[in-house]
Amino acid sequence: MEIYKMKDYEDVSKKAASFIIKDLILKPNLILGLATGSSPLGLYRNLIEAYEDDIISFKDVMTFNLDEYIGIPRDHPQSYFSFMHEHLFRHIDIDEANINIPNNDLDQLDKLAMEYDERLFGHQRDIQILGIGSNGHIGFNEPGTPLGNETFVVELNDQTRRDNARFFGSFDDVPKYAITMGIKNIMYSKKIVLIASGKHKAEAVYKMVYGDIDKQVPASILQLHPDCRVVVDEAAASLLRMDGNYKNF
Ligand code: F6R
């Protein structure tokens, strides 16, 4: 793991974007794993800017999103399908056919999870972008889920639903289930760039970096990934010691 400690969220976003922009210039048909939530918003803004400045194109890029809620339609404003179109896809030249987001159709979830897995194993991600939950989840791999999981349906825990209530107006409106890449899918990526900002992430970041590898802190598995970059602001890094693979910007 390499830790990039940045001053604030703006610098976190720029640094994370710089990794993607560099690789995309070298490999225009990059396969990108994408996350939703607050953490990658600044990164996506930086990618859009680089696209508008003609530095990069997404014409040949293929994307795979980590997860999607179950129980709300794809056109619901808070679905991750809507989120990705709103905050990234509608601003860039990506081919809609190259966008992959887990389908949440209730009637055929098992089949859809298997199909998503097949596509994921056929298209190893060059870079996987991740956020981290305040409970240490990545994707929607909640504490306690087996670390060998492939794409599966998960019951969201209360902490995650409380954290995400800000998008829905109330806790009760937050879906109870989601479909998510498993840890095995996430680890099957050449590079991982994890973004975290804010004091509320400091404990999860600390446990991810220095804790035991433990299914109660799913992000701790990333210690075993050969190229995982953790880009954090000062608040999220506040419990980290200044040693090891530490880059202070
Ligand atoms: C989102 C995802 C989640 C979030 C995490 C952090 O696709 O898979 O793991 O990355 O819940 O969310 P934010 O960034 O909103 O704090």
Side-chain angles (χ1 to χ4, degrees), residues 9 34-41 44 65-69 80 83-84 128-142 160 163-164 166-167 180-181 186 194-197 200-201:
Y9 181 68
L34 299 176
T36 56
S38 307
S39 305
L41 285 175
Y44 294 155
N65 264 81
L66 282 167
D67 39 24
E68 177 60 285
Y69 288 118
Y80 286 163
F83 177 102
M84 288 310 306
Q128 173 68 55
I129 296 163
L130 293 178
I132 181 171
S134 62
N135 62 5
H137 74 212
I138 45 176
F140 274 140
N141 291 267
E142 298 285 35
T160 298
D163 286 350
N164 289 357
R166 68 191 192 280
F167 298 114
T180 181
M181 281 191 206
I186 292 173
L194 183 143
I195 303 164
S197 70
H200 61 301
K201 297 289 175 78

mmCIF file of all heavy atoms in Angstrom, residues 9 34-41 44 65-69 80 83-84 128-142 160 163-164 166-167 180-181 186 194-197 200-201, ligand 1:
data_model
loop_
_atom_site.group_PDB
_atom_site.id
_atom_site.type_symbol
_atom_site.label_atom_id
_atom_site.label_comp_id
_atom_site.label_asym_id
_atom_site.label_seq_id
_atom_site.Cartn_x
_atom_site.Cartn_y
_atom_site.Cartn_z
ATOM 1 N N TYR A 9 -9.444 17.929 0.363
ATOM 2 C CA TYR A 9 -10.206 17.140 -0.613
ATOM 3 C C TYR A 9 -9.860 17.507 -2.060
ATOM 4 O O TYR A 9 -9.777 16.644 -2.938
ATOM 5 C CB TYR A 9 -11.710 17.330 -0.362
ATOM 6 C CG TYR A 9 -12.568 16.543 -1.314
ATOM 7 C CD1 TYR A 9 -12.593 15.157 -1.273
ATOM 8 C CD2 TYR A 9 -13.344 17.189 -2.281
ATOM 9 C CE1 TYR A 9 -13.366 14.422 -2.162
ATOM 10 C CE2 TYR A 9 -14.121 16.463 -3.174
ATOM 11 C CZ TYR A 9 -14.128 15.074 -3.107
ATOM 12 O OH TYR A 9 -14.892 14.351 -3.989
ATOM 13 N N LEU A 34 -15.349 1.792 -11.274
ATOM 14 C CA LEU A 34 -15.816 3.080 -10.740
ATOM 15 C C LEU A 34 -16.605 2.923 -9.452
ATOM 16 O O LEU A 34 -17.281 1.917 -9.233
ATOM 17 C CB LEU A 34 -16.691 3.781 -11.784
ATOM 18 C CG LEU A 34 -15.994 4.123 -13.110
ATOM 19 C CD1 LEU A 34 -17.008 4.717 -14.083
ATOM 20 C CD2 LEU A 34 -14.833 5.075 -12.897
ATOM 21 N N ALA A 35 -16.535 3.963 -8.639
ATOM 22 C CA ALA A 35 -17.281 4.007 -7.377
ATOM 23 C C ALA A 35 -18.247 5.187 -7.413
ATOM 24 O O ALA A 35 -18.072 6.126 -8.191
ATOM 25 C CB ALA A 35 -16.313 4.167 -6.211
ATOM 26 N N THR A 36 -19.233 5.155 -6.545
ATOM 27 C CA THR A 36 -20.148 6.289 -6.388
ATOM 28 C C THR A 36 -19.936 6.880 -4.997
ATOM 29 O O THR A 36 -18.943 6.594 -4.348
ATOM 30 C CB THR A 36 -21.602 5.818 -6.560
ATOM 31 O OG1 THR A 36 -21.825 4.776 -5.620
ATOM 32 C CG2 THR A 36 -21.854 5.304 -7.961
ATOM 33 N N GLY A 37 -20.871 7.685 -4.535
ATOM 34 C CA GLY A 37 -20.738 8.315 -3.212
ATOM 35 C C GLY A 37 -20.030 9.657 -3.326
ATOM 36 O O GLY A 37 -19.701 10.115 -4.429
ATOM 37 N N SER A 38 -19.775 10.278 -2.176
ATOM 38 C CA SER A 38 -19.187 11.621 -2.179
ATOM 39 C C SER A 38 -17.709 11.604 -2.567
ATOM 40 O O SER A 38 -17.218 12.543 -3.201
ATOM 41 C CB SER A 38 -19.274 12.241 -0.784
ATOM 42 O OG SER A 38 -20.579 12.203 -0.320
ATOM 43 N N SER A 39 -16.997 10.560 -2.166
ATOM 44 C CA SER A 39 -15.530 10.577 -2.309
ATOM 45 C C SER A 39 -15.039 10.833 -3.738
ATOM 46 O O SER A 39 -14.129 11.646 -3.922
ATOM 47 C CB SER A 39 -14.926 9.281 -1.771
ATOM 48 O OG SER A 39 -15.328 9.077 -0.451
ATOM 49 N N PRO A 40 -15.574 10.160 -4.759
ATOM 50 C CA PRO A 40 -14.992 10.359 -6.096
ATOM 51 C C PRO A 40 -15.523 11.567 -6.875
ATOM 52 O O PRO A 40 -15.105 11.779 -8.020
ATOM 53 C CB PRO A 40 -15.346 9.051 -6.822
ATOM 54 C CG PRO A 40 -16.572 8.559 -6.152
ATOM 55 C CD PRO A 40 -16.593 9.099 -4.773
ATOM 56 N N LEU A 41 -16.401 12.370 -6.264
ATOM 57 C CA LEU A 41 -17.004 13.468 -7.038
ATOM 58 C C LEU A 41 -15.953 14.436 -7.583
ATOM 59 O O LEU A 41 -16.009 14.843 -8.748
ATOM 60 C CB LEU A 41 -18.013 14.228 -6.171
ATOM 61 C CG LEU A 41 -19.347 13.510 -5.939
ATOM 62 C CD1 LEU A 41 -20.206 14.303 -4.962
ATOM 63 C CD2 LEU A 41 -20.085 13.313 -7.258
ATOM 64 N N TYR A 44 -14.030 12.880 -10.401
ATOM 65 C CA TYR A 44 -14.780 12.898 -11.656
ATOM 66 C C TYR A 44 -14.765 14.299 -12.271
ATOM 67 O O TYR A 44 -14.653 14.445 -13.488
ATOM 68 C CB TYR A 44 -16.218 12.393 -11.440
ATOM 69 C CG TYR A 44 -16.280 10.915 -11.049
ATOM 70 C CD1 TYR A 44 -17.341 10.386 -10.327
ATOM 71 C CD2 TYR A 44 -15.243 10.051 -11.403
ATOM 72 C CE1 TYR A 44 -17.379 9.047 -9.974
ATOM 73 C CE2 TYR A 44 -15.273 8.704 -11.051
ATOM 74 C CZ TYR A 44 -16.338 8.215 -10.327
ATOM 75 O OH TYR A 44 -16.371 6.889 -9.965
ATOM 76 N N ASN A 65 -19.012 -0.446 -12.717
ATOM 77 C CA ASN A 65 -19.289 0.097 -11.381
ATOM 78 C C ASN A 65 -19.311 -0.986 -10.312
ATOM 79 O O ASN A 65 -19.598 -2.146 -10.585
ATOM 80 C CB ASN A 65 -20.608 0.871 -11.378
ATOM 81 C CG ASN A 65 -20.354 2.345 -11.569
ATOM 82 O OD1 ASN A 65 -20.159 2.785 -12.699
ATOM 83 N ND2 ASN A 65 -20.304 3.101 -10.477
ATOM 84 N N LEU A 66 -18.991 -0.557 -9.117
ATOM 85 C CA LEU A 66 -18.899 -1.496 -7.998
ATOM 86 C C LEU A 66 -20.243 -2.081 -7.593
ATOM 87 O O LEU A 66 -20.344 -3.246 -7.242
ATOM 88 C CB LEU A 66 -18.367 -0.765 -6.761
ATOM 89 C CG LEU A 66 -16.891 -0.471 -6.673
ATOM 90 C CD1 LEU A 66 -16.642 0.532 -5.554
ATOM 91 C CD2 LEU A 66 -16.117 -1.753 -6.414
ATOM 92 N N ASP A 67 -21.274 -1.219 -7.594
ATOM 93 C CA ASP A 67 -22.492 -1.660 -6.910
ATOM 94 C C ASP A 67 -23.712 -0.865 -7.358
ATOM 95 O O ASP A 67 -23.605 0.142 -8.053
ATOM 96 C CB ASP A 67 -22.323 -1.561 -5.382
ATOM 97 C CG ASP A 67 -21.552 -0.307 -4.953
ATOM 98 O OD1 ASP A 67 -21.543 0.666 -5.721
ATOM 99 O OD2 ASP A 67 -20.972 -0.304 -3.858
ATOM 100 N N GLU A 68 -24.855 -1.345 -6.930
ATOM 101 C CA GLU A 68 -26.134 -0.666 -7.211
ATOM 102 C C GLU A 68 -27.125 -1.052 -6.123
ATOM 103 O O GLU A 68 -27.090 -2.173 -5.609
ATOM 104 C CB GLU A 68 -26.659 -1.087 -8.592
ATOM 105 C CG GLU A 68 -28.004 -0.510 -8.988
ATOM 106 C CD GLU A 68 -28.046 1.024 -9.055
ATOM 107 O OE1 GLU A 68 -28.067 1.633 -7.962
ATOM 108 O OE2 GLU A 68 -28.085 1.592 -10.158
ATOM 109 N N TYR A 69 -27.965 -0.103 -5.751
ATOM 110 C CA TYR A 69 -29.034 -0.403 -4.787
ATOM 111 C C TYR A 69 -30.053 -1.349 -5.412
ATOM 112 O O TYR A 69 -30.274 -1.341 -6.629
ATOM 113 C CB TYR A 69 -29.768 0.882 -4.405
ATOM 114 C CG TYR A 69 -28.994 1.811 -3.521
ATOM 115 C CD1 TYR A 69 -28.664 3.082 -3.966
ATOM 116 C CD2 TYR A 69 -28.614 1.430 -2.240
ATOM 117 C CE1 TYR A 69 -27.959 3.964 -3.154
ATOM 118 C CE2 TYR A 69 -27.911 2.307 -1.420
ATOM 119 C CZ TYR A 69 -27.588 3.563 -1.888
ATOM 120 O OH TYR A 69 -26.897 4.422 -1.076
ATOM 121 N N TYR A 80 -27.393 4.321 -8.479
ATOM 122 C CA TYR A 80 -26.015 4.565 -8.898
ATOM 123 C C TYR A 80 -25.913 4.710 -10.417
ATOM 124 O O TYR A 80 -24.990 5.337 -10.930
ATOM 125 C CB TYR A 80 -25.101 3.462 -8.357
ATOM 126 C CG TYR A 80 -24.866 3.616 -6.858
ATOM 127 C CD1 TYR A 80 -24.371 2.574 -6.095
ATOM 128 C CD2 TYR A 80 -25.149 4.817 -6.207
ATOM 129 C CE1 TYR A 80 -24.163 2.720 -4.726
ATOM 130 C CE2 TYR A 80 -24.943 4.975 -4.848
ATOM 131 C CZ TYR A 80 -24.440 3.920 -4.116
ATOM 132 O OH TYR A 80 -24.227 4.081 -2.770
ATOM 133 N N PHE A 83 -26.616 8.334 -10.718
ATOM 134 C CA PHE A 83 -25.452 9.048 -10.174
ATOM 135 C C PHE A 83 -24.333 9.131 -11.205
ATOM 136 O O PHE A 83 -23.752 10.195 -11.441
ATOM 137 C CB PHE A 83 -24.957 8.307 -8.914
ATOM 138 C CG PHE A 83 -23.717 8.901 -8.296
ATOM 139 C CD1 PHE A 83 -23.794 9.703 -7.168
ATOM 140 C CD2 PHE A 83 -22.453 8.643 -8.827
ATOM 141 C CE1 PHE A 83 -22.644 10.249 -6.594
ATOM 142 C CE2 PHE A 83 -21.309 9.187 -8.269
ATOM 143 C CZ PHE A 83 -21.408 9.992 -7.149
ATOM 144 N N MET A 84 -24.012 7.994 -11.805
ATOM 145 C CA MET A 84 -22.869 7.964 -12.725
ATOM 146 C C MET A 84 -23.130 8.808 -13.973
ATOM 147 O O MET A 84 -22.228 9.464 -14.481
ATOM 148 C CB MET A 84 -22.540 6.523 -13.135
ATOM 149 C CG MET A 84 -21.902 5.681 -12.065
ATOM 150 S SD MET A 84 -20.465 6.419 -11.225
ATOM 151 C CE MET A 84 -19.388 6.860 -12.573
ATOM 152 N N GLN A 128 -9.014 0.308 -10.447
ATOM 153 C CA GLN A 128 -10.281 0.293 -9.700
ATOM 154 C C GLN A 128 -10.274 1.472 -8.739
ATOM 155 O O GLN A 128 -9.379 1.590 -7.893
ATOM 156 C CB GLN A 128 -10.428 -1.016 -8.923
ATOM 157 C CG GLN A 128 -11.628 -1.066 -7.992
ATOM 158 C CD GLN A 128 -12.959 -1.088 -8.734
ATOM 159 O OE1 GLN A 128 -13.190 -1.952 -9.580
ATOM 160 N NE2 GLN A 128 -13.837 -0.146 -8.436
ATOM 161 N N ILE A 129 -11.274 2.339 -8.850
ATOM 162 C CA ILE A 129 -11.419 3.445 -7.897
ATOM 163 C C ILE A 129 -12.300 2.963 -6.744
ATOM 164 O O ILE A 129 -13.333 2.329 -6.969
ATOM 165 C CB ILE A 129 -12.088 4.649 -8.585
ATOM 166 C CG1 ILE A 129 -11.193 5.170 -9.706
ATOM 167 C CG2 ILE A 129 -12.384 5.756 -7.578
ATOM 168 C CD1 ILE A 129 -11.929 6.056 -10.679
ATOM 169 N N LEU A 130 -11.897 3.307 -5.539
ATOM 170 C CA LEU A 130 -12.679 2.916 -4.361
ATOM 171 C C LEU A 130 -12.839 4.085 -3.405
ATOM 172 O O LEU A 130 -11.942 4.935 -3.298
ATOM 173 C CB LEU A 130 -11.959 1.812 -3.571
ATOM 174 C CG LEU A 130 -11.800 0.424 -4.179
ATOM 175 C CD1 LEU A 130 -11.009 -0.466 -3.202
ATOM 176 C CD2 LEU A 130 -13.150 -0.213 -4.484
ATOM 177 N N GLY A 131 -13.959 4.107 -2.680
ATOM 178 C CA GLY A 131 -14.079 4.899 -1.465
ATOM 179 C C GLY A 131 -14.025 3.896 -0.313
ATOM 180 O O GLY A 131 -13.846 2.696 -0.538
ATOM 181 N N ILE A 132 -14.191 4.367 0.887
ATOM 182 C CA ILE A 132 -14.252 3.449 2.031
ATOM 183 C C ILE A 132 -15.383 3.896 2.954
ATOM 184 O O ILE A 132 -15.552 5.109 3.195
ATOM 185 C CB ILE A 132 -12.892 3.389 2.778
ATOM 186 C CG1 ILE A 132 -12.939 2.408 3.964
ATOM 187 C CG2 ILE A 132 -12.432 4.772 3.247
ATOM 188 C CD1 ILE A 132 -11.566 2.132 4.598
ATOM 189 N N GLY A 133 -16.167 2.961 3.426
ATOM 190 C CA GLY A 133 -17.229 3.303 4.369
ATOM 191 C C GLY A 133 -16.633 3.587 5.744
ATOM 192 O O GLY A 133 -15.542 3.110 6.068
ATOM 193 N N SER A 134 -17.368 4.332 6.564
ATOM 194 C CA SER A 134 -16.855 4.613 7.912
ATOM 195 C C SER A 134 -16.770 3.319 8.719
ATOM 196 O O SER A 134 -16.085 3.254 9.738
ATOM 197 C CB SER A 134 -17.733 5.651 8.625
ATOM 198 O OG SER A 134 -19.041 5.144 8.770
ATOM 199 N N ASN A 135 -17.426 2.244 8.253
ATOM 200 C CA ASN A 135 -17.324 0.939 8.927
ATOM 201 C C ASN A 135 -16.288 0.034 8.254
ATOM 202 O O ASN A 135 -16.213 -1.158 8.547
ATOM 203 C CB ASN A 135 -18.693 0.246 8.970
ATOM 204 C CG ASN A 135 -19.240 -0.060 7.573
ATOM 205 O OD1 ASN A 135 -18.557 0.159 6.565
ATOM 206 N ND2 ASN A 135 -20.458 -0.561 7.495
ATOM 207 N N GLY A 136 -15.515 0.587 7.321
ATOM 208 C CA GLY A 136 -14.452 -0.188 6.666
ATOM 209 C C GLY A 136 -14.907 -0.964 5.447
ATOM 210 O O GLY A 136 -14.152 -1.762 4.896
ATOM 211 N N HIS A 137 -16.144 -0.728 4.972
ATOM 212 C CA HIS A 137 -16.571 -1.476 3.781
ATOM 213 C C HIS A 137 -15.927 -0.918 2.518
ATOM 214 O O HIS A 137 -15.544 0.253 2.454
ATOM 215 C CB HIS A 137 -18.103 -1.549 3.665
ATOM 216 C CG HIS A 137 -18.796 -0.288 3.240
ATOM 217 N ND1 HIS A 137 -20.053 0.056 3.676
ATOM 218 C CD2 HIS A 137 -18.433 0.715 2.401
ATOM 219 C CE1 HIS A 137 -20.427 1.187 3.123
ATOM 220 N NE2 HIS A 137 -19.455 1.617 2.349
ATOM 221 N N ILE A 138 -15.788 -1.779 1.517
ATOM 222 C CA ILE A 138 -15.424 -1.332 0.161
ATOM 223 C C ILE A 138 -16.439 -1.956 -0.779
ATOM 224 O O ILE A 138 -16.857 -3.092 -0.569
ATOM 225 C CB ILE A 138 -13.964 -1.702 -0.241
ATOM 226 C CG1 ILE A 138 -13.625 -3.145 0.124
ATOM 227 C CG2 ILE A 138 -12.977 -0.727 0.369
ATOM 228 C CD1 ILE A 138 -12.232 -3.583 -0.341
ATOM 229 N N GLY A 139 -16.825 -1.222 -1.835
ATOM 230 C CA GLY A 139 -18.035 -1.618 -2.531
ATOM 231 C C GLY A 139 -19.094 -1.657 -1.444
ATOM 232 O O GLY A 139 -19.094 -0.847 -0.516
ATOM 233 N N PHE A 140 -19.980 -2.636 -1.508
ATOM 234 C CA PHE A 140 -20.893 -2.820 -0.373
ATOM 235 C C PHE A 140 -20.555 -4.122 0.353
ATOM 236 O O PHE A 140 -21.437 -4.844 0.816
ATOM 237 C CB PHE A 140 -22.350 -2.770 -0.820
ATOM 238 C CG PHE A 140 -22.908 -1.374 -0.876
ATOM 239 C CD1 PHE A 140 -23.753 -0.996 -1.915
ATOM 240 C CD2 PHE A 140 -22.626 -0.434 0.108
ATOM 241 C CE1 PHE A 140 -24.296 0.292 -1.973
ATOM 242 C CE2 PHE A 140 -23.159 0.848 0.064
ATOM 243 C CZ PHE A 140 -23.991 1.216 -0.984
ATOM 244 N N ASN A 141 -19.262 -4.422 0.443
ATOM 245 C CA ASN A 141 -18.826 -5.570 1.246
ATOM 246 C C ASN A 141 -18.791 -5.112 2.692
ATOM 247 O O ASN A 141 -17.815 -4.511 3.154
ATOM 248 C CB ASN A 141 -17.450 -6.045 0.781
ATOM 249 C CG ASN A 141 -17.506 -6.679 -0.590
ATOM 250 O OD1 ASN A 141 -17.649 -7.886 -0.715
ATOM 251 N ND2 ASN A 141 -17.444 -5.846 -1.633
ATOM 252 N N GLU A 142 -19.880 -5.380 3.377
ATOM 253 C CA GLU A 142 -20.030 -4.918 4.756
ATOM 254 C C GLU A 142 -19.178 -5.757 5.704
ATOM 255 O O GLU A 142 -18.796 -6.893 5.361
ATOM 256 C CB GLU A 142 -21.510 -5.026 5.168
ATOM 257 C CG GLU A 142 -22.462 -4.167 4.344
ATOM 258 C CD GLU A 142 -22.398 -2.680 4.701
ATOM 259 O OE1 GLU A 142 -21.311 -2.176 5.018
ATOM 260 O OE2 GLU A 142 -23.461 -2.029 4.643
ATOM 261 N N THR A 160 -24.153 1.885 7.389
ATOM 262 C CA THR A 160 -24.111 2.299 5.985
ATOM 263 C C THR A 160 -25.396 3.036 5.605
ATOM 264 O O THR A 160 -25.355 4.072 4.936
ATOM 265 C CB THR A 160 -23.927 1.048 5.087
ATOM 266 O OG1 THR A 160 -22.677 0.450 5.429
ATOM 267 C CG2 THR A 160 -23.954 1.400 3.615
ATOM 268 N N ASP A 163 -25.230 6.442 7.120
ATOM 269 C CA ASP A 163 -24.276 7.286 6.375
ATOM 270 C C ASP A 163 -24.882 7.782 5.061
ATOM 271 O O ASP A 163 -24.598 8.882 4.609
ATOM 272 C CB ASP A 163 -22.987 6.506 6.059
ATOM 273 C CG ASP A 163 -22.095 6.314 7.280
ATOM 274 O OD1 ASP A 163 -22.374 6.945 8.326
ATOM 275 O OD2 ASP A 163 -21.132 5.527 7.203
ATOM 276 N N ASN A 164 -25.707 6.937 4.434
ATOM 277 C CA ASN A 164 -26.239 7.293 3.115
ATOM 278 C C ASN A 164 -27.609 7.956 3.166
ATOM 279 O O ASN A 164 -28.152 8.360 2.132
ATOM 280 C CB ASN A 164 -26.268 6.055 2.206
ATOM 281 C CG ASN A 164 -24.859 5.638 1.813
ATOM 282 O OD1 ASN A 164 -23.885 6.297 2.180
ATOM 283 N ND2 ASN A 164 -24.724 4.568 1.064
ATOM 284 N N ARG A 166 -28.259 10.806 4.016
ATOM 285 C CA ARG A 166 -28.159 12.187 3.543
ATOM 286 C C ARG A 166 -28.576 12.323 2.070
ATOM 287 O O ARG A 166 -29.005 13.375 1.639
ATOM 288 C CB ARG A 166 -26.744 12.736 3.753
ATOM 289 C CG ARG A 166 -25.661 12.098 2.898
ATOM 290 C CD ARG A 166 -24.273 12.524 3.396
ATOM 291 N NE ARG A 166 -23.191 12.180 2.473
ATOM 292 C CZ ARG A 166 -22.634 10.993 2.364
ATOM 293 N NH1 ARG A 166 -23.084 9.981 3.109
ATOM 294 N NH2 ARG A 166 -21.644 10.777 1.512
ATOM 295 N N PHE A 167 -28.467 11.251 1.316
ATOM 296 C CA PHE A 167 -28.871 11.307 -0.094
ATOM 297 C C PHE A 167 -30.371 11.071 -0.280
ATOM 298 O O PHE A 167 -30.936 11.387 -1.315
ATOM 299 C CB PHE A 167 -28.126 10.248 -0.915
ATOM 300 C CG PHE A 167 -26.631 10.429 -0.930
ATOM 301 C CD1 PHE A 167 -25.792 9.510 -0.332
ATOM 302 C CD2 PHE A 167 -26.066 11.529 -1.565
ATOM 303 C CE1 PHE A 167 -24.420 9.677 -0.355
ATOM 304 C CE2 PHE A 167 -24.693 11.701 -1.595
ATOM 305 C CZ PHE A 167 -23.864 10.776 -0.986
ATOM 306 N N THR A 180 -23.443 -6.017 -5.282
ATOM 307 C CA THR A 180 -22.098 -5.450 -5.246
ATOM 308 C C THR A 180 -21.041 -6.428 -5.760
ATOM 309 O O THR A 180 -21.206 -7.649 -5.625
ATOM 310 C CB THR A 180 -21.716 -5.029 -3.800
ATOM 311 O OG1 THR A 180 -20.408 -4.463 -3.782
ATOM 312 C CG2 THR A 180 -21.728 -6.209 -2.818
ATOM 313 N N MET A 181 -19.987 -5.883 -6.352
ATOM 314 C CA MET A 181 -18.803 -6.714 -6.602
ATOM 315 C C MET A 181 -18.358 -7.271 -5.265
ATOM 316 O O MET A 181 -18.433 -6.584 -4.233
ATOM 317 C CB MET A 181 -17.632 -5.854 -7.105
ATOM 318 C CG MET A 181 -17.659 -5.459 -8.535
ATOM 319 S SD MET A 181 -16.012 -4.746 -8.935
ATOM 320 C CE MET A 181 -16.430 -3.665 -10.278
ATOM 321 N N ILE A 186 -12.919 -7.116 -6.687
ATOM 322 C CA ILE A 186 -12.192 -5.864 -6.457
ATOM 323 C C ILE A 186 -10.685 -6.117 -6.525
ATOM 324 O O ILE A 186 -9.931 -5.351 -7.126
ATOM 325 C CB ILE A 186 -12.596 -5.249 -5.090
ATOM 326 C CG1 ILE A 186 -14.052 -4.778 -5.150
ATOM 327 C CG2 ILE A 186 -11.669 -4.094 -4.711
ATOM 328 C CD1 ILE A 186 -14.625 -4.297 -3.824
ATOM 329 N N LEU A 194 -7.720 4.213 -3.826
ATOM 330 C CA LEU A 194 -8.771 4.427 -2.823
ATOM 331 C C LEU A 194 -8.685 5.862 -2.315
ATOM 332 O O LEU A 194 -7.608 6.345 -1.973
ATOM 333 C CB LEU A 194 -8.616 3.427 -1.671
ATOM 334 C CG LEU A 194 -9.704 3.503 -0.595
ATOM 335 C CD1 LEU A 194 -10.068 2.108 -0.078
ATOM 336 C CD2 LEU A 194 -9.325 4.416 0.567
ATOM 337 N N ILE A 195 -9.832 6.514 -2.266
ATOM 338 C CA ILE A 195 -9.909 7.913 -1.844
ATOM 339 C C ILE A 195 -10.659 7.997 -0.514
ATOM 340 O O ILE A 195 -11.716 7.375 -0.365
ATOM 341 C CB ILE A 195 -10.750 8.722 -2.850
ATOM 342 C CG1 ILE A 195 -10.174 8.617 -4.248
ATOM 343 C CG2 ILE A 195 -10.879 10.166 -2.442
ATOM 344 C CD1 ILE A 195 -11.181 9.063 -5.288
ATOM 345 N N ALA A 196 -10.123 8.781 0.416
ATOM 346 C CA ALA A 196 -10.879 9.020 1.655
ATOM 347 C C ALA A 196 -10.605 10.433 2.142
ATOM 348 O O ALA A 196 -9.471 10.914 2.084
ATOM 349 C CB ALA A 196 -10.492 8.012 2.737
ATOM 350 N N SER A 197 -11.648 11.091 2.611
ATOM 351 C CA SER A 197 -11.439 12.423 3.174
ATOM 352 C C SER A 197 -12.377 12.614 4.351
ATOM 353 O O SER A 197 -13.462 12.024 4.412
ATOM 354 C CB SER A 197 -11.658 13.506 2.112
ATOM 355 O OG SER A 197 -13.016 13.570 1.792
ATOM 356 N N HIS A 200 -14.359 11.598 9.813
ATOM 357 C CA HIS A 200 -15.202 10.412 10.042
ATOM 358 C C HIS A 200 -14.653 9.158 9.362
ATOM 359 O O HIS A 200 -15.139 8.058 9.595
ATOM 360 C CB HIS A 200 -16.640 10.691 9.583
ATOM 361 C CG HIS A 200 -16.767 11.004 8.122
ATOM 362 N ND1 HIS A 200 -16.121 12.059 7.510
ATOM 363 C CD2 HIS A 200 -17.455 10.380 7.132
ATOM 364 C CE1 HIS A 200 -16.421 12.081 6.228
ATOM 365 N NE2 HIS A 200 -17.216 11.074 5.973
ATOM 366 N N LYS A 201 -13.629 9.325 8.504
ATOM 367 C CA LYS A 201 -13.033 8.155 7.845
ATOM 368 C C LYS A 201 -11.716 7.740 8.507
ATOM 369 O O LYS A 201 -11.129 6.719 8.143
ATOM 370 C CB LYS A 201 -12.766 8.466 6.359
ATOM 371 C CG LYS A 201 -14.007 8.763 5.530
ATOM 372 C CD LYS A 201 -14.838 7.514 5.311
ATOM 373 C CE LYS A 201 -16.151 7.807 4.593
ATOM 374 N NZ LYS A 201 -16.005 8.003 3.170
HETATM 375 C C1 F6R B 1 -19.868 3.340 -3.636
HETATM 376 C C2 F6R B 1 -19.328 2.346 -2.733
HETATM 377 C C3 F6R B 1 -19.080 2.631 -1.289
HETATM 378 C C4 F6R B 1 -18.574 4.037 -1.001
HETATM 379 C C5 F6R B 1 -18.410 4.242 0.503
HETATM 380 C C6 F6R B 1 -17.973 5.654 0.830
HETATM 381 O O1 F6R B 1 -19.991 2.817 -4.936
HETATM 382 O O2 F6R B 1 -19.120 1.265 -3.165
HETATM 383 O O3 F6R B 1 -18.151 1.690 -0.800
HETATM 384 O O4 F6R B 1 -17.358 4.235 -1.653
HETATM 385 O O5 F6R B 1 -19.624 3.979 1.144
HETATM 386 O O6 F6R B 1 -18.991 6.531 0.504
HETATM 387 P P1 F6R B 1 -18.747 8.122 0.508
HETATM 388 O O7 F6R B 1 -17.721 8.390 -0.534
HETATM 389 O O8 F6R B 1 -20.079 8.712 0.147
HETATM 390 O O9 F6R B 1 -18.285 8.473 1.871
#
